[in-house]
Amino acid sequence: MKFRIPLRSLFLAALVLLFAGWLRADTSHARIIRLSLVQGDVRFTRDVHGDPLTSDKANWEGATLNLPIRQGYVLATDHGRAEVEFENGAMAFLAENTVLEFYDLSLEDGAKTTRLVLRQGTASFYVNPGSGDYFSVTGGDFTVETDGRAGFRLDNFDDGSVVDVSKGRVSVLRKNKTTALVKGQSLSMRAGDNNSTEVARLPENDDFDRWVAGREDAVATATNAAQQYVSSPYYTSGIADLYTYGSWYPISGYGNCWRPYGVGLGWSPFAGGGWFMDPVYGSTFIGAQPWGWLPYHYGGWVFDPFFGWLWSPGFGFGFSGIAPFRPVTGVFIRSKTGLLGLVPVHPLDVRGKEPINLAKGVFPVAGGAVSQQAMASATAAGESWKVMKAPPRESLTNTAVAASAAPARVSRTIVGGGGNARVVTLDRNSSIAYDAREHRFVNGAAVAQTAAAKSAEKTDATREALTGERAGQGRAGASAAASVRVPAASMRAAAPPPRAMAPPPARASTGPYSGGWSQGASSRGSASASAAHSAPAAGASHPSSAGSSGRPH
């Protein structure tokens, strides 16, 4: 008995190291990241080539907290905000009326390549790369990239883009030119005009900036506090929520295990949530609780006579973020009588073998949902069970997401110029339309008239926005740009001219803060990256294939 626990620990550690070595050699391993916060109306679509706002093949669904996001997904906010958490500690924050495309999420030899496209709106990014990681965001006519810890905000307007750097430093790429920016600097550029580039100081923080700062601070504080309970120095997506919404208990043989607040001995691990089907990773369980990410996709479950079910991170948890993503931390089994059940995964389970937790009971799957009460152990033992590779799709009808309408395209234009450009919103019923030929907003009823007549018929609101009469000197004024909501039926007609929205090839860094980039394109994500590199500039189709390290904030 004295040697059981050490031997078990050594055995598990060896398995973790072997698996990590195998996974590092697998360049096709798909990356899955997390939708970590949803406020208001947030939607998503997937695998749409070209502009998702104008594509008639985009099937939009309502996004839910803890949605797994892979390469090819597009996230959109209407009257809402969203936060995305990456495996290595990077974060993306979406403001209202924003569309963000996850163009490239690839992994090779442990290095993560992240290339995003900001189709419209405003988003802020916190980047915390590990060794060899690459992170870039394309919006409008330029791309912002960084290989060191940095924070920046990107605004994509119809007639230009603005990037503000709040932490670290970034590089702004536009055609064959590169501009280095450091903390406190802002760069703006008019669409299609490289000579219009202007570098200025950051404007004052607005409400969105303050919200982002608060979220970053909350996640950083909870993450640092949670690290004491896991045997890994690496950042792990979702660990902060475990500290906020539950407690850790030392369990003999398994180290620290976790249980949410407010549950008792009879609590079921699958008490709240629903199912979501993705063609790449199959049917996955989405926990409805704020903490419902890690316990349902990583580690396993142990049953303690005193505490009941607890989640165990397992040995080697957080090993550079290389731990494999599970659609659900459960094993589906079926009896000879046709009964379908789910057994929580045990940390020592062997794939294809009878699950260890079968002796603790089986949670029946009926009516498309997992029962909150397990079958009695004696009843479960009386059945003859067979482990299933995948559950029947028709048995998981308790879906976590529902169909949604496409988000409206919001036309915005820079009118103040410089880094102080921000947004003033016009009435959604306004007749103002975007004139693609003149690159400005005009009275929609007068588009067919001459330029002189159009100028005479502009509304007062548009005239004030375009001339800057109401423009403030900072974000607090929120009045240096015009914003118009375009109905879905007229998106194609009102859309501005196509711009170069395809990200450049991912570049291999010469090292954090080394002062330069290598000249050759990275080989990371070989097949999928090659497809992305060859995408047409105007269409920006993402690669068709799917795909950590870093430290806490």
Side-chain angles (χ1 to χ4, degrees), residues 27-100:
T27 60
S28 63
H29 178 66
R31 290 176 56 197
I32 308 292
I33 58 177
R34 172 200 183 201
L35 178 57
S36 51
L37 185 68
V38 173
Q39 291 184 350
D41 187 2
V42 182
R43 315 168 200 186
F44 75 99
T45 187
R46 41 191 162 171
D47 303 324
V48 177
H49 295 271
D51 188 349
L53 289 175
T54 58
S55 173
D56 55 3
K57 296 183 179 179
N59 296 316
W60 290 91
E61 299 172 274
T64 185
L65 178 66
N66 294 316
L67 175 74
I69 296 175
R70 61 166 171 82
Q71 179 172 293
Y73 272 46
V74 179
L75 199 61
T77 59
D78 190 17
H79 296 292
R81 291 177 178 176
E83 171 191 289
V84 177
E85 188 177 16
F86 295 78
E87 326 93 313
N88 57 3
M91 302 186 78
F93 305 90
L94 281 65
E96 296 82 355
N97 301 311
T98 296
V99 179
L100 182 67

Side-chain angles (χ1 to χ4, degrees), residues 451-529:
K454 285 188 289 184
S455 177
E457 293 182 9
K458 290 174 186 173
T459 64
D460 291 341
T462 306
R463 184 185 307 109
E464 290 178 32
L466 290 173
T467 58
E469 292 176 9
R470 295 192 301 177
Q473 296 303 312
R475 290 178 182 158
S479 58
S483 177
V484 178
R485 298 177 60 82
V486 180
S490 59
M491 280 184 191
R492 295 174 185 270
R499 294 158 70 191
M501 294 288 279
R507 299 184 180 183
S509 167
T510 56
Y513 303 105
S514 60
W517 303 92
S518 67
Q519 298 301 313
S522 169
S523 62
R524 298 200 291 267
S526 53
S528 60

Side-chain angles (χ1 to χ4, degrees), residues 387-402:
V387 175
M388 303 182 66
K389 292 183 178 180
R393 185 181 302 184
E394 63 274 10
S395 65
L396 305 177
T397 56
N398 181 27
T399 59
V401 301

